[in-house]
Amino acid sequence: MDLFEHQARELFQEHGVLVPRAEVVDSPRAARAAAERLGGRVVVKAQVKTGGRGKAGGVKLAADPAATELTARQLLGMDIKGHTVHRVMVAEPVAVEHEFYVGYVLDRAAGRFMAIVSAEGGMDIEDVAARRPEAVARIAVDPAEGVTEAKAAEIAAAGGLPPETAATIHRLWTVLVAEDALLVEVNPLVLTSDGAIVALDGKVTLDDNARFRQPARGDADDDVARDPLEARAAAAGLNYVKLDGHVGVIGNGAGLVMSTLDVVAGCGARPADFLDIGGGASAQVMADGLSVVLGDPDVRSVLVNVFGGITACDAVADGIVRALDTVTLTKPLVVRLDGNSAARGRAILAELAHPLVHQADTMDGAAARAAELAA
Ligand code: GDP
Ligand code: MN
């Protein structure tokens, strides 16, 4: 998972890396208030998970709180390389004397982390790396040894960075290890006019496989940038993707759901989502799935396509019946049950006799019916 700059900044701060004073806001008014607290003159920075914000016009200096409000109004809602700006960071400006580049990245082929440093950091680092690769130093880091203070000094020297950057280079390694990060990048790391070493930007990628040992991490999720239905589905542990059509699709197993999307498209309708309830289609899972799909205003009909295997169809049918205790069905539901215990499952739904619940014997028939109901 990639972090926003402001989240990376917090991790830096926790591990003793100096960062400018800053606040994150989501409205022009709040930006103005933040500028007032930060002393008037500020840098306003779009918070999007992509680089090159400076060149795209996403980093702007504002002379006073009124200008900050205007700048925030421009940046909020702006698109930077396909990422919508939902929040901006309002930061105290830093008097930059020199910009360095410092990064740690996992080199999978080498089985090592790689420290990458350059004395020519800043917005043109890609250019520098392409034109004069010798200006960018790469130093392998043995994961078992890590970056000691001595190693940090060696890394700084290799990149031609002044010795006073070594302490920060060391702390950034601590960030990587403590937070289970795959990437920690600071560009620029700056030397300020009063001699301090400050991380002016930050990019951190956390290792999702280490989530289990980072319980505090939950709130790092990118829930604003995400579709709200996707966020709700993720919270319920469902595999859901919002699409742009009108037939809600629920199935068990990613392969079956994908082929169901194709069959719906083959019937001339467009799927509204992809929702895989997985192997254990309990009443709770069914209720969660249905409420997510029915919560989508684009959905006009819902197609439940289940091929009973380990999950028996009668359990799925039971799940639907019990889900309807808590979820009010507002749109027609077409259910196709086949495979393990299909006959029992169908009987359960027939007995339910809900006016909005329709059954179909085949996947094609079910898709055609759902498409017709969505038309
Ligand atoms: P990026 O373009 O997405 O990497 O965004 P950065 O956060 O790195 O900002 C782009 C550039 O803006 C930096 O390389 C700096 O040169 C400049 N910048 C950002 N904040 C400040 C600041 O407080 N003072 C000064 N002088 N320059 C800044
Ligand atoms: Mn940067």
Side-chain angles (χ1 to χ4, degrees):
M1 174 176 54
D2 295 337
L3 297 187
F4 284 106
E5 175 192 17
H6 68 88
Q7 295 170 323
R9 181 184 168 279
E10 271 172 33
L11 296 184
F12 292 170
Q13 212 167 13
E14 280 170 30
H15 294 280
V17 173
L18 288 182
V19 293
R21 285 204 301 149
E23 293 183 30
V24 182
V25 297
D26 59 7
S27 77
R29 267 168 169 258
R32 181 189 191 119
E36 267 154 17
R37 285 187 289 270
L38 291 165
R41 201 165 155 271
V42 294
V43 180
V44 188
K45 305 178 79 176
Q47 296 299 290
V48 281
K49 294 182 177 182
T50 181
R53 294 166 303 162
K55 287 191 172 164
V59 177
K60 293 206 144 82
L61 194 71
D64 54 45
T68 305
E69 183 170 347
L70 276 174
T71 304
R73 183 159 290 136
Q74 273 174 20
L75 295 186
L76 288 164
M78 177 179 168
D79 179 279
I80 298 181
K81 299 183 191 168
H83 298 253
T84 307
V85 179
H86 294 286
R87 284 180 280 208
V88 294
M89 189 167 101
V90 179
E92 193 173 51
V94 170
V96 175
E97 191 75 30
H98 197 92
E99 301 192 326
F100 309 106
Y101 176 97
V102 175
Y104 288 112
V105 48
L106 179 61
D107 182 339
R108 291 179 189 274
R112 294 273 186 278
F113 278 93
M114 205 60 82
I116 305 176
V117 288
S118 175
E120 298 177 46
M123 293 197 283
D124 295 321
I125 188 67
E126 275 92 4
D127 256 19
V128 172
R131 285 194 204 154
R132 284 184 305 105
E134 71 280 3
V136 180
R138 294 160 192 273
I139 303 98
V141 176
D142 184 324
E145 286 166 18
V147 175
T148 57
E149 283 177 37
K151 180 83 178 181
E154 183 195 315
I155 292 169
L161 276 64
E164 59 264 39
T165 58
T168 304
I169 291 172
H170 180 243
R171 287 181 188 135
L172 289 169
W173 175 260
T174 316
V175 171
L176 180 129
V177 173
E179 306 296 337
D180 283 312
L182 296 171
L183 170 92
V184 171
E185 183 195 73
V186 181
N187 184 37
L189 177 71
V190 304
L191 168 66
T192 69
S193 56
D194 30 344
I197 301 295
V198 177
L200 211 52
D201 187 11
K203 185 173 172 192
V204 170
T205 303
L206 300 176
D207 183 352
D208 292 331
N209 294 315
R211 206 181 254 274
F212 71 97
R213 57 181 190 190
Q214 297 286 357
R217 215 188 252 188
D219 56 359
D221 266 330
D222 178 9
D223 43 282
V224 256
R226 201 163 175 174
D227 181 276
L229 288 168
E230 287 185 4
R232 222 166 98 194
L238 298 168
N239 193 0
Y240 171 87
V241 181
K242 170 86 176 93
L243 303 171
D244 57 5
H246 300 294
V247 177
V249 175
I250 300 177
N252 65 328
L256 181 65
V257 179
M258 278 195 270
S259 40
T260 309
L261 301 185
D262 287 345
V263 175
V264 166
C267 293
R270 295 233 306 268
D273 62 66
F274 171 110
L275 195 148
D276 174 15
I277 53 174
S282 67
Q284 189 56 51
V285 170
M286 207 61 217
D288 290 342
L290 273 177
S291 69
V292 168
V293 173
L294 293 169
D296 177 357
D298 294 339
V299 166
R300 296 184 195 151
S301 69
V302 182
L303 169 53
V304 177
N305 187 18
V306 170
F307 192 89
I310 294 168
T311 304
C313 288
D314 55 349
V316 173
D318 256 350
I320 293 173
V321 172
R322 278 186 283 151
L324 294 183
D325 286 342
T326 52
V327 182
T328 311
L329 204 54
T330 47
K331 294 154 190 174
L333 194 70
V334 181
V335 186
R336 175 259 184 168
L337 299 174
D338 204 348
N340 183 9
S341 308
R344 291 231 300 275
R346 289 181 195 167
I348 290 167
L349 292 182
E351 196 182 319
L352 174 69
H354 192 295
L356 285 172
V357 176
H358 310 271
Q359 295 203 68
D361 296 338
T362 64
M363 176 147 146
D364 286 342
R369 188 76 201 275
E372 181 193 311
L373 289 165

